């Protein structure tokens, strides 16, 4: 048992002395009743031994409650039911009030920040907690999470400048978080400080944190990734489920934030996509990222004209997504089948080296869909098998159920080919020339060349001859998966 000479124990012994004056706690039976009621309040059994001596037992109870984020408030609630209105109970409340604080924010605001904390990846949680909480605060449990640290800080008094310690804790985490998560955390702390009239204090604290800790190094050019998964749901075939992930930058790895599902018909899904893009544009504007918009689609939806969907919800002349952003499609089927991932990763490495070295796909690394007979498909499979440097395929027709492109792209997906290009209406000679230029020549990177082609088609208008209005590019990075894969138990393991 810790002695009163240790930091922070004086106030704890004051509470113990006050508790010793509560009649119900004078006898072991009463203390055991309180422990049973605390178990019901906290949802756990407190690790307390009844040593027989009154003060020792009360100390164990008080310390266990102090070490739990909601423990002291639960203790007051329990004792209030058993001892109503006595002078000693009032003294207990006063002491507990000096050890804890009232809730700083609404349950909705708390839920919002706790959701954001799940996106933070850091290892020095104990160091940050101790810096914010101070030397007299109760220690964190072993292997504590950010959520537990935040909850424990909520039980402590505010700093001398009035700032709640959980608010300062969030600021420390934001200093090391990914840019998109840091932005959300700062928005949250700004709002809470403004509501409490502590904006200037928060600004000063933020400056202190920047001075004390090395600032987060961020690359000059960030990619903002917006990934939409679209699947048909229901029995009518007219409803679609849209799921959205987003992440700003990749310096800390791929940990995209997943948004809630949306279900509606295709027109409603288009509107929802535009609304989400408008929202993200506003949130990320200060970082000036280059956007990558991706649609993870099932085989039946791969020919959907997602790059022609509008990016704004309220405009007189809708601009297609694909002429403003780099828009690509990805295969839901391949993403969910781990047995295809080995070759997929290998060919992606080859593609990355080619694009990094030359900015284009080597001509000998591209295959052209031509003969869609069974013999022709076998030859295409064999070509991929004997050519590990093959990284792209141009389809001979769209991947519709009634067209040969469906079989060609199926071969490419199984072979791990990361780049597939086609025209959604007709893969005619004009498209073939355009595809050759996009893959093997021109300035900028491949995604930018495709975006510019779509922009030229938009400038020509609906009656123009440019094939960019119906270009689909499958550009599939195996290291940025967003849907579960291989959900079953490993072979030989119990499910």
């Amino acid at each position: 048992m810790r002695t009163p000479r240790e930091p922070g124990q004086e106030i704890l012994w004051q509470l113990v002395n006050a508790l010793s004056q509560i009649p119900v706690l004078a006898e072991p039976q009463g203390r055991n009743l309180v422990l049973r009621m605390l178990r019901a309040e906290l949802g756990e059994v407190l690790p307390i031994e009844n040593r027989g001596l009154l003060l020792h037992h009360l100390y164990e109870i008080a310390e266990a409650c102090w070490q739990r984020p909601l423990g002291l408030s639960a203790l007051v609630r329990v004792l209030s039911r058993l001892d109503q209105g006595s002078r000693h109970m009032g003294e207990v409340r006063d002491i507990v009030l000096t050890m804890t604080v009232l809730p700083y924010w609404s349950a909705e605001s708390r839920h919002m920040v706790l959701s954001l904390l799940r996106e933070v990846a850091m290892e020095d949680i104990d160091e940050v907690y101790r810096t914010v909480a101070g030397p007299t605060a109760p220690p964190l449990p072993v292997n504590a999470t950010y959520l537990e640290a935040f909850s424990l800080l909520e039980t402590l008094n505010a700093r001398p400048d009035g700032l709640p310690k959980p608010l300062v804790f969030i600021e420390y985490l934001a200093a090391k978080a990914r840019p998109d998560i840091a932005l959300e955390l700062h928005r949250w702390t700004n709002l809470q400080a403004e509501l409490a009239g502590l904006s200037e204090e928060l600004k000063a604290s933020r400056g202190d944190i920047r001075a004390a800790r090395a600032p987060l190094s961020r690359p000059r050019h960030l990619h903002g990734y917006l990934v939409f998964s679209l699947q048909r749901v229901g029995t009518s075939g007219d409803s679609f489920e849209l799921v959205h992930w987003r992440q700003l930058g990749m310096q800390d790895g791929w940990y995209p934030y997943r948004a809630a599902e949306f279900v509606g018909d295709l027109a409603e899904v288009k509107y929802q996509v535009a609304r989400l893009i408008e929202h993200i544009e506003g949130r990320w504007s200060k970082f000036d990222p280059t956007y990558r918009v991706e649609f993870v689609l099932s085989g039946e939806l791969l020919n959907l004209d997602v790059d022609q969907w509008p990016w704004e919800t309220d405009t007189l002349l809708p601009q297609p997504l694909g002429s403003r952003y780099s828009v690509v499609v990805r295969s839901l089927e391949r993403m969910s089948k781990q047995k295809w991932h080995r070759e997929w990763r290998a060919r992606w490495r080859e593609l990355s080296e080619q694009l990094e070295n030359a900015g284009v796909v080597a001509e000998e690394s591209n295959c052209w869909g031509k003969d869609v007979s069974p013999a022709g498909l076998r030859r295409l499979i064999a070509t991929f098998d004997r050519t590990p440097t093959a990284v792209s395929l141009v389809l001979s027709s769209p991947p519709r159920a009634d067209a040969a492109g469906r079989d060609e792209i199926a071969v490419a997906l199984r072979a791990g080919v990361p780049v597939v290009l086609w025209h959604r209406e007709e893969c005619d000679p004009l498209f073939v020339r355009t595809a050759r230029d996009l893959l093997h020549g021109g300035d900028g990177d491949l995604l930018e060349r495709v975006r510019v082609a779509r922009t030229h088609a938009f400038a020509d208008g609906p009656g123009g001859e440019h094939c960019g209005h119906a270009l689909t590019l499958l550009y599939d990075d195996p290291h940025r998966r967003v849907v579960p894969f291989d959900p079953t138990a490993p072979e030989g393991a119990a499910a």
Side-chain angles (χ1 to χ4, degrees), residues 350-351 353-355 358-368 389-392 436 439-441 449:
E350 173 66 26
L351 172 69
E353 291 178 6
Q354 291 187 19
L355 295 181
V360 297
V361 175
E363 292 196 33
E364 63 271 18
S365 294
N366 178 63
C367 295
W368 296 86
T389 57
V391 296
S392 63
R436 194 180 303 276
L439 292 172
H440 308 310
R449 291 196 292 271

Side-chain angles (χ1 to χ4, degrees), residues 13 32 72 76 83 150 186 207 210 216 222 273 295 297 306 316 340 347 354 385 414 438 445 451 486 494:
W13 276 106
N32 290 334
L72 288 177
V76 170
D83 187 313
F150 181 86
H186 283 315
R210 287 173 181 160
L216 178 68
L222 289 172
V273 167
F295 287 84
L297 304 174
V306 291
L316 295 176
W340 295 346
R347 293 190 195 275
Q354 291 187 19
D385 281 344
R414 285 167 171 77
L438 292 174
D445 64 15
R451 187 194 68 80
D486 195 22

Side-chain angles (χ1 to χ4, degrees), residues 193-479:
E194 182 179 352
L195 292 174
L198 296 169
S199 296
E200 290 302 317
E201 288 78 3
L202 177 64
K203 183 178 179 181
S205 176
R206 193 173 287 167
D208 293 340
I209 293 171
R210 287 173 181 160
R213 305 176 73 89
L216 178 68
S217 59
R218 294 173 180 163
R220 288 185 179 180
H221 302 293
L222 289 172
H223 288 311
Y225 296 93
L226 307 177
V227 184
F228 299 95
S229 172
L230 187 63
Q231 297 186 66
R232 201 184 298 272
V233 294
T235 57
S236 66
D238 298 329
S239 294
F240 299 84
E241 179 188 65
L242 179 74
V243 184
H244 166 230
W245 292 264
R246 63 177 182 261
Q247 179 166 320
L248 185 60
M250 283 279 289
Q251 64 272 24
D252 295 322
W254 179 242
Y255 304 101
Y257 172 78
R258 185 184 188 277
E261 298 89 351
F262 172 84
V263 176
D265 60 29
L266 203 55
E268 292 171 326
V269 166
K270 289 182 182 180
Y271 181 86
Q272 183 72 2
V273 167
R275 192 183 70 81
L276 286 168
I277 289 178
E278 288 178 331
H279 172 73
I280 297 304
E281 277 276 20
R283 289 297 182 99
W284 289 354
S285 59
K286 65 183 293 184
F287 298 107
D288 192 24
T290 300
Y291 286 92
R292 300 281 180 88
V293 181
E294 304 175 344
F295 287 84
V296 181
L297 304 174
S298 60
E300 63 164 339
L301 299 178
L302 277 177
N303 208 46
L304 203 59
D305 62 341
V306 291
D307 53 272
Q308 296 300 300
W309 291 4
W311 76 272
E312 289 181 290
T313 59
D314 54 349
T315 178
L316 295 176
L317 183 59
Q319 180 187 7
L321 271 173
S323 66
R324 181 177 173 88
Y325 308 108
S326 295
V327 178
V328 301
V329 301
R330 305 180 63 186
S331 169
L332 174 65
E333 182 182 14
R334 178 162 61 187
M335 199 173 291
S336 60
K337 291 190 176 182
Q338 195 175 17
K339 63 184 180 180
W340 295 346
H341 289 186
R342 179 179 60 84
E343 287 187 285
W344 184 18
R345 287 192 292 268
R347 293 190 195 275
W348 179 262
R349 286 195 298 270
E350 173 66 26
L351 172 69
S352 299
E353 291 178 6
Q354 291 187 19
L355 295 181
E356 183 177 352
N357 294 333
V360 297
V361 175
E363 292 196 33
E364 63 271 18
S365 294
N366 178 63
C367 295
W368 296 86
K370 296 177 181 178
D371 183 358
V372 294
S373 67
L377 291 175
R378 285 197 298 271
R379 284 193 292 271
L380 183 60
I381 294 172
T383 296
F384 286 130
D385 281 344
R386 65 173 177 259
T387 315
T389 57
V391 296
S392 63
L393 171 68
V394 179
L395 301 185
S396 64
S397 62
R400 298 190 301 257
D402 59 345
R406 180 188 63 176
D407 295 328
E408 292 173 348
I409 199 170
V411 170
L413 293 177
R414 285 167 171 77
V417 177
V419 172
V420 183
L421 186 65
W422 69 90
H423 193 278
R424 288 188 295 273
E425 297 169 3
E426 184 180 3
C427 298
D428 58 12
L430 174 60
F431 161 72
V432 170
R433 289 196 298 272
T434 301
R436 194 180 303 276
D437 290 340
L438 292 174
L439 292 172
H440 308 310
D443 299 325
D445 64 15
L446 173 60
L447 299 184
E448 179 63 10
R449 291 196 292 271
V450 172
R451 187 194 68 80
V452 170
R454 290 166 175 160
T455 302
H456 288 326
F458 175 65
D460 288 351
E465 296 183 356
H466 200 292
C467 66
H469 70 281
L471 279 178
T472 291
L473 175 67
L474 183 142
Y475 189 84
D476 215 356
D477 183 347
H479 304 295

Side-chain angles (χ1 to χ4, degrees), residues 58-74:
L58 290 178
Y59 182 93
E60 296 282 354
I61 295 173
E63 184 183 46
C65 290
W66 193 26
Q67 291 176 344
R68 283 155 179 77
L70 304 178
L72 288 177
S73 59

